[in-house]
Every structure is written in structure tokens, then in C-alpha cells.
């Protein structure tokens, strides 16, 4: 009858589980109770993890997990827990035997438990040698008195009462056929027995399935005792064997998990514990449902009822995990806090171990442990049911069950928990660290053939989205086991890790980043098109050719690099400020896997900025430049004509030293910057490593700049490292720029303004062409007519100028404007190119003393021709290539382009900002600074070393400065005919 009812009952229960929705949020919450909290009249129910009442004439046992009869009462029946019944002993037989089952006369007095006692050096004898209970206890060896059920104990040195199942089944101590003897228990053939259990354990990683000696001895008996008698310890032991088999389920298997599920399905009538649907009365809670699909409801339908905060008077930074521990036989051991390294196999200090449970601290621990040490420390497996403790509304300490994601679990021969789809997961409850028991094949006293180790344990904390009050979802502990074939324990080792990670839904941040990237990227396209249009105007070309397309791509690369830089800096500073400064936890840092897009953006920004920087170098190294000497000869000198023997008068030569002097000054300012690069690197490194700003990049809740050497150091966040370093780079660079522009250049020296003044005092103008038809002009014509003079006259000229006794320096009368942006006509460019071709045909004398007269004369003639042409152009001599002077429109200044094309006349735009620095490092500080920041960040992200990043950044600055100086000097020599030997 009972056998025929099983399929129907199982089907009904499966249908009920399939259609039953999860209970409300409190369904996974239970009060925290310990054996000591139960009192004398209650016991600790290990299946419910709660106190239960003892029956009449009963009290709590010494262990606390069962009830015993009061003194003067004997047991009539017992199935463990509170399932015992007691009967009062007669008045004249007030003592109770040591096993509690019989009343006995105690002539020498009673203990506090109502048991007989003997004087010292005497042995209490309650039964004869053959097991007969004495009517009166004596302090001598056993001798028979009354017929009783007894049998020899394991050691064979005394008679003891038979195990109760033998008496119940056979009324004797013999479990003969057709009764079933298993695991030291006797079961009647007439009872509804379980299917024969398969005592095998699967070690899938090794491809081994072995018959476990522990399972062989205990599986069937534990399952039968759990099924027939609801024995609490037996049910726990059965559950532990299922956990040792990785909670794997198969519809056709009768292994430990199959037997457990059979009992679970057919005991629905017993009800549930703490209103939790999946926790059957008398059974351990092993599964969240009996099939995959409920994980999303378990993990996301409810919020953990505690608010976490980083700062303030209500600061809550502790995750109070607590575990109920059991041994392999199913005995409840104790409640244990996870602090102190309960689940951390790697040794460390107490402070560092406990840091794993500081809320907001990403924790990572990994080490390699010898197999011999594991076998020594974990000879017997301990099983854990994990909970998270919290304060209830009435001051009661409550527990929230923490689900387990066992990556080794198989459901219908599939590893359903190894995918990322939560809807395929099958969550469990119980787990262990090391199992060196189930892998023993023949002798439990020998080494196991295989051991199973929890090689990777991760506790995941997920923040509830759109919450300003620090609410989290229930934590999830993920366990991955490694099967190890024991061969040479001393030589074998296994790598284990323990981590705690924090995460939140980053989809909204990703969408916002994509939107920002799309919008700014579109603007970058428009800006690049405007730059290309301006470049076409400045080159004097209106044809869209391949060069135009390449130039557009170069402009777009630089602008897109700026877009990536803005997004990454904004993202880094956002996480730095909002994560570290928050009081109630509303944001959590992205996981390392979620930082990949961010790192990709930095790599793209660096690559594109490097391309822009190289293009900038090339453009600066190919500019056209010429120094216009306004100095005129003073009188005439007599000069002998070689080969003719006659002396003729000629114009006095003009000194070339002023030109060499200006050329040297120009060469010195080519790599001048608005900041001091060495100070920049050292200051950033000082604040990061010495002051301690690098500690802000750690993945913990602390915003302190200093850390104790004994404290745990959390792993680095790549986003925070970039945010901290980039913020320091920008802040220090900004302060340097303010210092140099407001104080240094105003009160100490302004090298650009000094260069313009020097040109005027040297009577030399600078004509620059950065594009075919666009460039810059520095008007250095002396207002005194001559600069090649003695000291007395020079001082007199300066005094006259200071007292406004001479005209102003400007190109136009009565103006001071000396610097201009020039847009020249194509006709003017054609004249320039014709003369320039002659000028550059010879690169200047290779040797000052041995150069031929012909080369020297040609070079001198070409130089004089260009000097005469440009000076006459400035003096409006050539009406067909004349120019006008005007101011730029505000929009032209903003866009960096010119609306008016110089068709007939060139245009000189007044420039008060020394914009000729655009062909120097000085005018491109933004590009150089961003390139330095990105270079520093790329090296740091690759090496995780700020020191190495600082060293390499300074080296690349010096290398590129050397290249810029060397090639810039060669270009200066080539374009101006200044001998390289005079450039120092």
C-alpha cells in the first residue's frame, strides 16, 4: 500500500512546488537561537535550528540537542530530540540506570541526575556480565539478576543494552533474516523500506566514480532511520552525504541525493520550518526547490533588511556572517562566526582575515597549500549552513539564509550552475571546505584515494539599484571544488582562494557612457570638419583630395582622443568622489570584468592622442621660417677686388651676429612648455606615494590617505587608479599654469614677450609659415633705425623709448602690435617659393673655412634676395602682392579659421596673444599634457606601479624633447641659412 502511494504523492508534491510562488520577503528569515538560549525545559532542534519544548517530566540534555527524563523517571521510548516518553519510577526504586531506560535501587545514594553513584575506587555495576539488569545496583562487577535485552559492546568488556531497533524488530539482539541489518541498525522486512542506496561518489574532474566506505556503512542506515523514524541525526547525516556528492540530482539515481529527495517529496505532510517552503520538518535544508529556475526570485525578489553606511554616527560596516556547523555523522556542533578565518584556508593575521567582512571592502586571498597539511587539518569534514545576522524590529537577532551556488553541481548530468544565466541555476544551502572522508574506499583509517577541496570561494554582495540608503540583495556564496587524486601528499599542493566582491547593476552607467560617447563623438566629427575646412583655406586649396581625407582623419583622431579622455577622466573622478565620499551606500565600484570597456577607452585615447602628437611634431619640424634683417649698412668701406689689383668702395657689411643671436633664442624656446615637466612628474609621484593619495584607489570604503601596516590592503581599482592619477596630473598642471601665467611670467620672465622685444632690439623680424598660405609674423623692426651699435648708443635708444621720445614699435603707425597671424595670397606664396627654392638649394656652408667661394656667394645671394623680398613686402613695395591689416572676428578666433580668402591681397590679423607659439611646444600644452597623462596611465595600468609610470613618462618627455630640438634645429638651419655650429 505504502509503495503504491509513493508515485502519486511525489507527483502531487512536484506539482505543488512548480506552481507555488515564493513567499514574501520574510520567507528566508529566521530568528537566531543557540542551545544556551533554550533553557532547562526546551532543547535545540538541529533540524529547525531553533528551540523546541521538551515533553512532560523531561529536561534538556547535557549536549542541549535532545531531551532526557527528569531524575526519578525512566525512558519508555526514544527517537531523539523530544520524541521520548518517560515513566516515574516506583517510590522504593527511585534510581535510574545510566542508560536511562530502567529504574533501579541505589543503596549508596543518587547523583543530581538521579543516577546511582559509588564511592571512589569502586565501579558501578547495574547489569550482570551477560547483560541482566540488577534489581539493586552495586559497586562491583556485573552479575545477572533479571532477564534483560543486552549484548556485548564493541570492546567486549561489558554487557550493554541492545540498540533499540533490534528490540523493536526481533525482540532480541539478533537481526536475522528476513530483517535487514545495515549500519548497526535493524529494520523489519514488513516496513516500507527505501530503495537500495548507491554508495558511490562521483569525482567528475578526475573521471572517477568510487565506492565510498563511509557511504557503504552509513548511507542506507541513515536514510532508513530518517525515513522510518524521522531520526534527526540520521537525516542530517544523509543530507551531508548528499552534499559530499555535490548536491547533484538525477531522476534515475538512488544515491545520497536521490534518497534525500525521495524522503523530501514523501514527507510533505510533516510541514515546513520557519514558514520556509524548502525547509522540510526533521530534514536539513539543502535546496531552493528541486529544479533550476528559482534563483532570480531567491536572489532578487527580496531585500536584506539592513541599511549599510560608510560614514556618520550610524556607520554600519560589518557583515555578521554566522554558520551552523555539523559533523559528518549529522551531529550539530555549534554556531560559528566567520570571523577568524573559518572559511579562509590561507593563513593570515586576525585583522587581515576579518577584513573580508568589512562592508564595501573587496577582498581577495589566494595561496598554495600542501596536500599533507590539508589532510592533517581537515581529517573529518565539517558542514556549514551559512546565515547573515541582522537586528529585527523588536531587538531580536534574526538570521537570513545565504544561498550557495555550487559550480560542481550536476542536474540531469549538466553543470547548470557554471553558466551566467541565473535562470538555469539550482541554489543550495549546505557546503564544506574539505572532504577527505567520502574518498576512502576500503578502510576509514587509511588515507583517501581522492579528496575534494573548496578551491575557490566567493561571497558576492549586490547593491539594490536606485537606492539611496545602502540596501543590498541577499548575499550569494559561490563555491568551486577541486578533486585531487592522492598520490604523494608531501609533494602535492593545491591553490585555494577566498574573495568577497561587491557589485551593482552597471547597465545605466554603461548607457550614459554610450550616450556621452555618441554625442561627443558626433561633435568631434563636426569639429574635425571645421578644422579641415580651415586647413584647406590656409593651404590655399579648394580641391578635396586624398590628402584632405587623411588630414580630416588626423584631426578627427585628435578630437576623438579628447572625447575618450574626457569620458574616462569624468568616469574615474565620478567613481572616486561618489564611492569614497558617500555616507549611505548608493553606488559600488565596477567589477574588474566590468572595467574592460573603461580600459579600452583609455587605450583608444592614448593611441589616437599619440597619432595626433606625432602629427604635431611633423608639422612643427617642417615649418618655413626666415629672419628678416632690417639693418642697413652704415656708410662705405674700401675693398680690394681679388685678381684685379684695384681698390673699390663698397657698402659697409651688416653684422650677422644679431641673426645668429635671434636664431639661438628661437631654438631655445622651441620646446619650452607652460609647465615644468620634471616638477610635474615628481609632484604627482610625491602625492601618490608619499602623501598617500594612491590609497584612494583601493577597493574599500576608507577615504584615509594612510593605512596601517597590519591592516588588509584591498586590491586596486583600475578606474580609481586612473581617476586619482589623472586628477592629480590635472590639478598640479593647472596650478603650475596659474603660477607661471599670473606670477612667474608677470614678475620674473615671459620668454615669448622677451623674444618679441629682443627681435625689436635686434632689428630683426620673424616670418613664419606653418601652412602654404598661413603663418605668423613678428615685427621686429627697430624704431631707432639701427641695432648694430655700441653700448652707449643702445642705452640712449632704450632711454628715449622709455620716455616716449620715439615712435611706437607696431607695424602700423602709432600702434604697439608686433605679432600677427598672416594669411597670404597664392601670388605671394608663388614669389616666396621661387626665392625659397634658390635659398634651400644649398643648405649653408658645410665647413666655415673650406667651403667654396661659389657656394658661399650663392648662399649669400639667395639669403639677401629673400631678405630683400620679404622686407620690401612688409614695406608695401610690391603692390601686386600687397597686404592689409585687420582684426579677426570673434567667431574666427573661436573656430580658429579665417572666413576671408586672401585673393588679391594678403591679410595680416592683429594678434595680441602671441599665437606664433602654436608652432612651438608652448602653444600645444593641452595636447602634450593629455599625452603625458595617458602615457602615465597606460604604463600604470599595465604594471600597477606609479613609480615605473613616472620614470617612463619622464623618459619619453626627454626623448621627444631631444627629437624636437635636434630636428627643429636642422629645419631652422635649412630654412634660414644659419650655420648649425652657431646654434648652441
Amino acid at each position: 500500500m505504502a509503495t503504491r502511494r509513493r508515485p502519486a504523492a511525489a507527483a502531487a508534491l512536484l506539482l505543488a512546488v512548480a506552481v507555488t510562488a515564493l513567499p514574501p520577503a520574510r520567507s528566508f528569515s529566521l530568528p537566531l537561537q543557540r542551545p544556551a538560549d533554550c533553557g532547562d525545559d526546551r532543547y535545540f532542534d538541529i533540524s529547525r535550528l531553533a528551540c523546541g519544548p521538551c515533553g512532560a517530566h523531561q529536561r534538556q540534555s547535557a549536549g542541549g540537542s535532545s531531551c532526557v527524563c527528569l531524575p526519578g523517571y525512566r525512558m519508555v521510548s526514544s527517537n531523539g530530540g523530544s520524541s521520548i516518553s518517560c515513566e516515574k519510577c516506583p517510590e522504593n526504586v527511585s534510581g535510574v540506570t545510566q542508560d536511562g531506560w530502567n529504574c533501579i535501587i541505589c543503596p549508596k545514594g543518587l547523583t543530581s541526575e538521579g543516577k546511582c553513584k559509588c564511592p571512589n575506587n569502586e565501579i558501578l555495576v547495574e547489569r550482570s556480565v551477560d547483560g541482566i539488569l540488577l534489581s539493586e545496583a552495586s559497586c562491583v562487577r556485573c552479575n545477572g539478576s533479571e532477564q534483560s535485552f543486552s549484548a556485548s559492546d564493541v570492546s567486549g568488556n561489558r554487557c550493554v543494552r541492545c540498540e533499540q531497533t533490534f528490540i523493536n524488530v526481533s525482540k532480541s539482539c539478533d537481526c536475522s533474516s528476513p530483517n535487514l541489518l545495515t549500519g548497526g541498525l535493524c529494520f523489519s522486512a514488513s516496513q516500507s523500506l527505501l530503495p537500495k542506496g548507491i554508495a558511490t561518489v562521483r569525482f567528475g574532474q578526475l573521471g572517477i566514480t568510487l565506492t565510498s566506505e563511509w557511504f557503504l556503512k552509513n548511507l542506507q542506515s541513515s536514510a532508513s532511520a530518517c525515513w522510518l523514524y524521522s531520526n534527526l541525526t540520521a537525516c542530517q547525516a544523509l543530507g551531508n552525504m548528499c552534499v559530499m556528492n555535490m548536491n547533484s540530482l538525477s531522476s534515475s539515481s538512488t544515491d545520497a541525493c536521490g534518497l534525500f529527495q525521495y524522503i523530501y517529496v514523501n514527507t510533505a505532510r510533516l510541514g515546513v520550518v520557519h514558514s520556509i517552503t524548502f525547509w522540510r520538518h526533521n530534514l536539513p535544508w539543502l535546496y531552493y526547490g528541486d529544479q533550476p529556475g528559482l534563483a532570480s526570485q531567491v536572489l532578487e525578489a527580496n531585500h536584506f533588511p539592513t541599511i549599510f553606511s560608510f560614514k556618520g554616527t550610524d556607520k554600519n560596516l560589518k557583515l555578521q556572517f554566522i554558520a551552523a556547523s555539523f559533523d559528518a555523522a549529522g551531529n550539530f556542533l555549534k554556531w560559528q562566526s566567520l570571523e577568524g578565518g573559518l572559511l579562509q584556508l590561507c593563513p593570515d593575521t586576525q585583522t587581515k582575515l576579518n577584513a573580508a567582512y568589512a562592508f564595501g571592502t573587496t577582498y581577495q586571498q589566494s595561496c598554495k597549500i600542501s596536500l599533507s597539511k590539508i589532510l592533517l587539518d581537515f581529517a573529518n569534514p565539517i558542514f556549514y549552513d551559512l546565515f547573515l545576522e541582522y537586528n529585527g524590529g523588536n531587538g531580536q537577532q534574526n538570521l537570513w539564509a545565504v544561498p550557495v551556488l555550487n559550480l560542481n553541481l550536476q542536474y540531469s548530468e549538466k553543470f547548470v550552475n557554471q553558466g551566467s544565466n541565473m535562470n538555469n541555476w539550482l541554489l543550495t544551502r549546505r557546503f564544506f571546505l574539505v572532504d577527505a572522508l567520502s574518498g576512502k574506499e576500503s578502510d576509514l583509517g587509511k588515507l583517501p584515494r581522492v579528496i575534494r577541496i573548496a578551491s575557490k570561494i566567493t561571497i558576492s554582495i549586490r547593491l539594490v539599484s536606485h537606492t539611496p540608503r545602502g540596501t543590498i540583495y541577499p548575499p550569494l556564496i559561490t563555491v568551486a571544488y577541486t578533486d585531487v587524486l592522492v598520490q604523494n601528499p608531501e609533494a602535492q599542493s593545491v591553490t585555494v582562494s577566498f574573495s568577497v566582491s561587491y557589485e551593482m547593476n552597471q547597465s545605466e552607467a554603461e548607457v550614459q557612457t554610450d550616450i556621452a560617447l555618441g554625442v561627443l563623438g558626433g561633435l568631434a566629427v563636426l569639429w574635425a570638419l571645421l578644422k579641415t575646412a580651415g586647413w584647406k583655406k590656409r593651404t590655399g586649396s579648394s580641391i578635396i583630395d586624398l590628402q584632405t581625407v587623411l588630414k580630416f582623419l588626423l584631426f578627427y583622431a585628435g578630437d576623438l582622443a579628447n572625447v575618450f579622455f574626457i569620458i574616462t577622466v569624468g568616469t574615474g573622478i565620478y567613481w572616486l568622489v561618489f564611492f569614497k565620499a558617500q555616507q549611505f551606500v548608493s553606488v559600488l565600484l565596477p567589477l574588474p570584468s566590468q572595467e574592460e570597456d573603461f580600459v579600452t577607452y583609455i587605450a583608444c585615447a592614448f593611441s589616437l592622442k599619440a597619432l595626433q602628437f606625432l602629427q604635431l611634431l611633423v608639422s612643427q619640424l617642417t615649418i618655413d621660417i626666415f629672419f628678416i634683417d632690417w639693418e642697413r649698412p652704415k656708410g662705405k668701406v674700401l675693398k680690394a677686388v681679388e685678381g684685379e689689383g684695384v681698390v673699390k668702395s663698397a657698402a659697409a657689411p651688416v653684422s650677422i651676429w644679431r641673426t645668429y643671436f635671434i636664431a639661438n633664442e628661437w631654438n631655445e624656446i622651441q620646446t619650452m612648455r607652460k609647465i615644468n615637466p620634471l616638477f610635474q612628474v615628481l609632484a604627482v609621484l610625491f602625492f601618490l606615494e608619499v602623501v598617500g593619495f594612491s590609497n584612494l584607489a583601493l577597493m574599500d570604503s576608507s577615504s584615509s590617505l594612510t593605512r596601517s601596516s597590519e591592516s588588509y590592503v584591498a586590491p586596486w581599482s583600475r578606474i580609481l587608479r586612473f581617476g586619482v592619477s589623472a586628477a592629480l596630473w590635472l590639478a598640479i598642471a593647472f596650478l603650475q599654469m596659474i603660477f607661471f601665467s599670473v606670477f612667474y611670467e608677470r614678475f620674473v620672465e615671459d620668454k615669448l614677450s622677451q623674444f618679441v622685444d629682443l627681435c625689436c632690439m635686434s632689428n630683426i623680424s620673424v616670418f613664419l609659415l606653418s601652412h602654404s598660405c598661413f603663418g605668423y609674423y613678428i615685427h621686429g623692426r627697430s624704431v631707432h633705425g639701427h641695432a648694430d651699435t655700441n653700448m652707449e648708443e643702445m642705452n640712449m635708444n632704450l632711454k628715449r623709448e622709455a620716455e616716449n621720445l620715439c615712435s611706437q614699435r607696431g607695424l602700423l603707425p602709432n600702434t604697439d602690435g608686433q605679432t600677427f597671424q598672416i594669411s597670404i595670397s597664392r601670388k605671394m606664396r608663388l614669389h616666396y617659393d621661387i626665392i625659397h627654392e634658390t635659398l634651400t638649394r644649398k643648405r649653408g656652408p658645410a665647413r666655415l673655412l673650406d667651403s667654396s667661394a661659389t657656394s658661399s656667394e650663392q648662399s649669400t645671394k639667395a639669403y639677401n634676395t629673400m631678405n630683400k623680398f620679404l622686407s620690401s613686402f612688409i614695406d608695401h613695395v610690391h603692390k601686386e602682392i600687397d597686404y592689409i591689416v585687420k582684426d579677426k572676428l570673434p567667431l574666427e578666433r573661436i573656430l580658429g579659421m579665417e572666413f576671408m580668402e586672401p585673393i588679391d591681397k594678403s591679410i595680416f590679423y592683429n594678434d595680441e596673444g602671441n599665437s606664433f607659439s602654436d608652432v612651438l611646444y608652448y602653444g600645444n600644452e593641452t595636447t602634450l599634457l593629455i599625452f603625458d597623462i595617458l602615457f602615465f596611465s597606460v604604463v600604470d595600468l599595465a604594471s600597477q606601479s606609479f613609480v615605473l609610470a613616472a620614470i617612463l613618462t619622464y623618459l619619453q618627455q626627454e626623448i621627444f624633447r631631444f627629437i624636437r630640438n635636434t630636428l627643429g634645429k636642422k629645419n631652422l638651419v635649412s630654412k634660414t641659412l644659419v650655420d648649425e655650429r652657431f646654434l648652441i
Side-chain angles (χ1 to χ4, degrees):
M1 291 288 292
T3 304
R4 289 195 298 269
R5 287 197 301 269
R6 290 173 194 160
L13 182 61
L14 286 173
L15 180 61
V17 171
V19 301
T20 302
L22 282 178
R26 192 175 172 177
S27 61
F28 300 118
S29 176
L30 61 146
L32 169 60
Q33 294 182 347
R34 296 178 172 87
D37 301 331
C38 297
D40 292 334
D41 58 346
R42 295 194 299 167
Y43 77 107
F44 188 77
D45 188 339
I46 61 174
S47 70
R48 298 169 54 243
L49 299 179
C51 297
C54 291
H57 313 300
Q58 300 172 19
R59 68 178 182 181
Q60 187 186 82
S61 66
S65 59
S66 62
C67 297
V68 295
C69 295
L70 291 173
Y73 289 80
R74 74 179 186 93
M75 285 191 298
V76 178
S77 64
S78 174
N79 285 322
S82 63
S83 300
I84 68 171
S85 58
C86 301
E87 181 183 84
K88 186 174 177 59
C89 293
E91 293 294 332
N92 60 338
V93 188
S94 59
V96 181
T97 57
Q98 295 295 317
D99 57 18
W101 285 95
N102 299 97
C103 299
I104 193 170
I105 298 173
C106 298
K108 296 188 179 181
L110 303 174
T111 65
S112 59
E113 290 87 18
K115 309 290 178 67
C116 297
K117 65 179 181 179
C118 288
N120 293 334
N121 300 322
E122 292 187 12
I123 300 173
L124 176 67
V125 177
E126 295 177 337
R127 298 178 183 273
S128 63
V129 176
D130 55 358
I132 298 175
L133 181 70
L134 303 177
S135 60
E136 180 176 330
S138 63
C139 294
V140 293
R141 294 178 182 270
C142 312
N143 53 23
S145 61
E146 181 180 347
Q147 190 70 26
S148 177
F149 295 113
S150 63
S152 63
D153 63 359
V154 176
S155 60
N157 58 5
R158 68 189 184 99
C159 295
V160 294
R161 180 180 171 87
C162 292
E163 209 285 323
Q164 185 64 27
T165 57
F166 286 77
I167 300 172
N168 293 342
V169 171
S170 64
K171 304 302 181 184
S172 69
C173 292
D174 182 25
C175 189
S176 57
S177 179
N179 299 322
L180 177 65
L181 175 63
T182 177
L185 302 178
C186 186
F187 298 98
S188 172
S190 62
Q191 291 177 305
S192 176
L193 297 178
L194 288 170
K196 180 66 176 178
I198 301 175
T200 58
V201 181
R202 290 169 290 180
F203 296 95
Q205 295 176 355
L206 301 175
I208 296 176
T209 299
L210 57 82
T211 300
S212 169
E213 181 68 13
W214 176 261
F215 281 40
L216 202 61
K217 288 184 175 181
N218 298 287
L219 176 60
Q220 196 68 37
S221 60
S222 298
S224 299
C226 179
W227 168 244
L228 295 175
Y229 305 124
S230 296
N231 184 278
L232 302 183
T233 306
C235 291
Q236 297 292 332
L238 176 62
N240 291 342
M241 283 183 270
C242 177
V243 174
M244 284 190 276
N245 238 338
M246 297 290 95
N247 293 90
S248 296
L249 292 175
S250 176
S251 57
S252 60
S253 176
T254 56
D255 60 4
C257 293
L259 294 177
F260 178 86
Q261 282 298 99
Y262 179 88
I263 297 173
Y264 179 88
V265 169
N266 289 280
T267 54
R269 65 186 183 280
L270 297 179
V272 298
V273 178
H274 298 300
S275 302
I276 297 176
T277 307
F278 314 119
W279 198 345
R280 185 78 75 243
H281 197 73
N282 294 330
L283 296 178
W285 178 11
L286 295 188
Y287 296 94
Y288 286 84
D290 58 356
Q291 58 186 352
L294 297 176
S296 59
Q297 298 183 50
V298 173
L299 297 175
E300 295 180 344
N302 309 304
H303 300 169
F304 182 66
T306 293
I307 294 174
F308 292 94
S309 58
F310 287 165
K311 296 176 175 64
T313 56
D314 298 329
K315 181 168 68 172
N316 184 8
L317 282 177
K318 270 296 179 186
L319 291 167
Q320 299 178 349
F321 286 104
I322 190 171
S325 56
F326 301 82
D327 64 13
N331 297 302
F332 174 79
L333 300 179
K334 59 182 175 179
W335 286 105
Q336 292 179 270
S337 170
L338 295 197
E339 292 190 349
L342 182 65
L343 303 184
Q344 292 142 285
L345 296 176
C346 298
D348 212 330
T349 64
Q350 191 83 0
T351 302
K352 293 182 179 180
L353 291 172
N354 294 343
Y357 310 110
F359 185 81
T361 298
T362 298
Y363 186 90
Q364 292 179 355
Q365 184 193 47
S366 179
C367 66
K368 185 175 287 188
I369 303 180
S370 168
L371 199 60
S372 60
K373 177 174 175 55
I374 292 177
L375 290 171
L376 179 65
D377 295 343
F378 299 93
N380 299 306
I382 304 297
F383 298 84
Y384 302 100
D385 290 345
L386 190 60
F387 299 89
L388 187 55
E389 187 177 348
Y390 68 96
N391 294 322
N394 56 357
Q396 168 71 42
Q397 290 292 103
N398 290 340
L399 299 177
W400 192 284
V402 177
V404 176
L405 183 67
N406 185 345
L407 299 183
N408 298 67
L409 181 148
Q410 294 184 59
Y411 183 83
S412 298
E413 308 303 326
K414 295 180 180 179
F415 292 98
V416 294
N417 289 344
Q418 292 186 1
S420 58
N421 188 353
M422 187 183 298
N423 293 321
N424 293 333
W425 293 351
L426 178 59
L427 300 179
T428 57
R429 281 284 299 129
R430 185 166 292 185
F431 66 98
F432 59 87
L433 296 182
V434 177
D435 172 20
L437 181 62
S438 65
K440 296 180 178 181
E441 288 186 293
S442 57
D443 189 346
L444 295 179
K446 294 183 179 180
L447 284 177
R449 181 184 174 190
V450 181
I451 67 170
R452 182 170 273 155
I453 304 168
S455 57
K456 185 176 182 180
I457 300 177
T458 302
I459 299 177
S460 303
I461 312 294
R462 295 179 64 238
L463 186 70
V464 178
S465 300
H466 307 294
T467 173
R469 302 291 291 177
T471 306
I472 63 172
Y473 291 112
L476 173 68
I477 179 169
T478 303
V479 184
Y481 290 95
T482 298
D483 302 333
V484 181
L485 185 65
V486 180
Q487 296 173 327
N488 184 2
E490 296 296 333
Q492 290 178 274
S493 61
V494 62
T495 300
V496 297
S497 66
F498 178 87
S499 61
V500 181
S501 65
Y502 295 82
E503 59 182 298
M504 62 178 292
N505 189 343
Q506 300 289 345
S507 59
E508 184 177 349
E510 292 172 357
V511 170
Q512 292 175 349
T513 301
D514 292 341
I515 292 174
L517 185 60
V519 172
L520 294 178
L523 293 177
V525 172
L526 297 178
W527 190 245
L529 287 172
L530 285 174
K531 284 185 175 180
T532 306
W535 174 80
K536 291 295 291 181
K537 284 181 174 292
R538 291 181 174 184
T539 56
S541 172
S542 58
I543 302 174
I544 299 178
D545 51 9
L546 180 60
Q547 185 184 14
T548 305
V549 176
L550 292 177
K551 200 67 179 180
F552 166 75
L553 293 177
L554 288 173
F555 284 135
Y556 182 58
D559 294 334
L560 192 58
N562 294 336
V563 169
F564 281 121
F565 180 74
I566 292 171
I567 290 176
T568 51
V569 170
T571 301
I573 294 178
Y574 168 84
W575 287 113
L576 178 63
V577 173
F578 283 88
F579 176 72
K580 291 291 185 177
Q582 62 186 333
Q583 178 177 351
F584 293 102
V585 183
S586 59
V587 295
L588 290 175
L589 291 172
L591 296 174
S593 60
Q594 296 171 326
E595 294 178 329
E596 296 304 324
D597 287 345
F598 180 83
V599 175
T600 302
Y601 290 162
I602 294 178
C604 291
F606 172 71
S607 302
L608 295 173
K609 185 57 67 173
L611 187 62
Q612 181 191 18
F613 175 64
L614 293 176
Q615 186 268 337
L616 174 67
L617 276 183
V618 172
S619 65
Q620 290 191 358
L621 294 174
T622 56
I623 62 169
D624 291 317
I625 181 171
F626 191 82
F627 299 123
I628 305 172
D629 191 351
W630 295 99
E631 195 76 11
R632 295 296 176 259
K634 294 183 179 180
K636 294 184 178 182
V637 295
L638 296 177
K639 182 178 181 181
V641 180
E642 187 176 353
E644 298 181 5
V646 296
V647 177
K648 295 182 179 180
S649 64
V654 177
S655 173
I656 193 64
W657 289 107
R658 289 173 297 100
T659 302
Y660 286 164
F661 183 55
I662 294 299
N664 271 288
E665 291 300 316
W666 175 263
N667 194 51
E668 288 181 6
I669 65 174
Q670 286 194 94
T671 55
M672 183 186 70
R673 294 181 58 174
K674 293 182 179 179
I675 63 174
N676 186 314
L678 178 59
F679 175 82
Q680 178 77 21
V681 171
L682 292 178
V684 169
L685 190 60
F686 172 80
F687 280 102
L688 285 173
E689 295 294 346
V690 180
V691 178
F693 275 84
S694 61
N695 290 320
L696 295 177
L698 297 176
M699 297 179 72
D700 58 26
S701 61
S702 174
S703 55
S704 172
L705 299 182
T706 58
R707 302 296 169 92
S708 169
S709 58
E710 292 82 15
S711 63
Y712 168 75
V713 178
W716 301 105
S717 165
R718 289 180 290 183
I719 290 180
L720 292 186
R721 282 184 77 91
F722 178 78
V724 171
S725 60
L728 282 175
W729 267 91
L730 292 173
I732 295 172
F734 180 70
L735 292 175
Q736 278 206 80
M737 290 180 187
I738 291 179
F739 169 76
F740 279 106
S741 61
V742 176
F743 299 101
Y744 188 84
E745 291 181 354
R746 180 173 296 183
F747 299 107
V748 181
E749 64 172 347
D750 180 357
K751 290 191 175 182
L752 293 184
S753 298
Q754 286 180 350
F755 179 75
V756 175
D757 291 339
L758 189 62
C759 287
C760 187
M761 296 305 299
S762 301
N763 204 16
I764 290 178
S765 295
V766 182
F767 189 84
L768 289 164
L769 288 178
S770 57
H771 300 73
S772 296
C773 296
F774 181 84
Y776 306 92
Y777 174 66
I778 302 174
H779 187 60
R781 192 169 191 174
S782 175
V783 296
H784 309 291
H786 292 278
D788 194 2
T789 182
N790 56 37
M791 182 182 295
E792 181 180 357
E793 188 174 351
M794 179 68 73
N795 290 333
M796 182 63 68
N797 291 339
L798 292 175
K799 182 177 180 182
R800 291 179 60 221
E801 191 172 358
E803 296 174 353
N804 292 324
L805 298 178
C806 57
S807 60
Q808 294 175 284
R809 293 182 175 182
L811 175 62
L812 298 179
N814 301 318
T815 63
D816 288 324
Q818 292 180 260
T819 57
F820 301 87
Q821 294 181 8
I822 58 176
S823 182
I824 63 176
S825 64
R826 295 181 185 177
K827 188 181 295 185
M828 164 61 187
R829 179 69 200 198
L830 182 60
H831 282 75
Y832 179 86
D833 287 341
I834 293 173
I835 303 173
H836 184 264
E837 183 181 357
T838 306
L839 179 66
T840 56
R841 190 172 300 157
K842 293 292 181 179
R843 299 293 182 180
R847 296 288 185 270
L848 187 62
L849 298 177
D850 63 350
S851 58
S852 66
T854 303
S855 298
S856 177
E857 289 175 0
Q858 288 178 351
S859 299
T860 303
K861 183 177 180 180
Y863 172 82
N864 291 331
T865 302
M866 179 62 79
N867 191 76
K868 183 177 180 181
F869 169 71
L870 291 179
S871 59
S872 62
F873 169 72
I874 298 299
D875 283 340
H876 301 278
V877 172
H878 308 285
K879 298 302 180 183
E880 71 280 5
I881 54 172
D882 204 0
Y883 67 92
I884 61 173
V885 180
K886 61 173 296 186
D887 291 326
K888 262 193 171 183
L889 298 174
L891 187 58
E892 288 180 311
R893 295 180 184 275
I894 294 173
L895 298 179
M897 61 186 299
E898 298 76 35
F899 296 155
M900 184 181 297
E901 290 192 20
I903 299 176
D904 297 323
K905 292 185 178 182
S906 301
I907 305 173
F908 279 36
Y909 294 99
N910 290 310
D911 174 31
E912 298 177 357
N914 292 333
S915 60
F916 66 87
S917 62
D918 288 347
V919 298
L920 309 172
Y921 264 11
Y922 189 90
N924 296 275
E925 184 60 50
T926 301
T927 300
L928 297 175
L929 179 62
I930 294 177
F931 178 74
D932 288 343
I933 294 174
L934 291 172
F935 185 91
F936 180 92
S937 301
V938 167
V939 175
D940 172 62
L941 293 179
S943 65
Q944 298 287 289
S945 171
F946 287 126
V947 176
L948 179 63
I951 293 173
L952 294 183
T953 300
Y954 179 70
L955 287 178
Q956 69 85 12
Q957 288 175 342
E958 290 300 303
I959 290 171
F960 281 114
R961 189 175 69 87
F962 174 78
I963 294 173
R964 176 66 177 84
N965 271 332
T966 302
L967 298 183
K969 182 188 294 185
K970 290 184 178 299
N971 181 67
L972 185 65
V973 170
S974 171
K975 301 296 175 61
T976 63
L977 283 180
V978 173
D979 196 298
E980 186 175 0
R981 291 170 297 178
F982 294 99
L983 296 179
I984 58 176

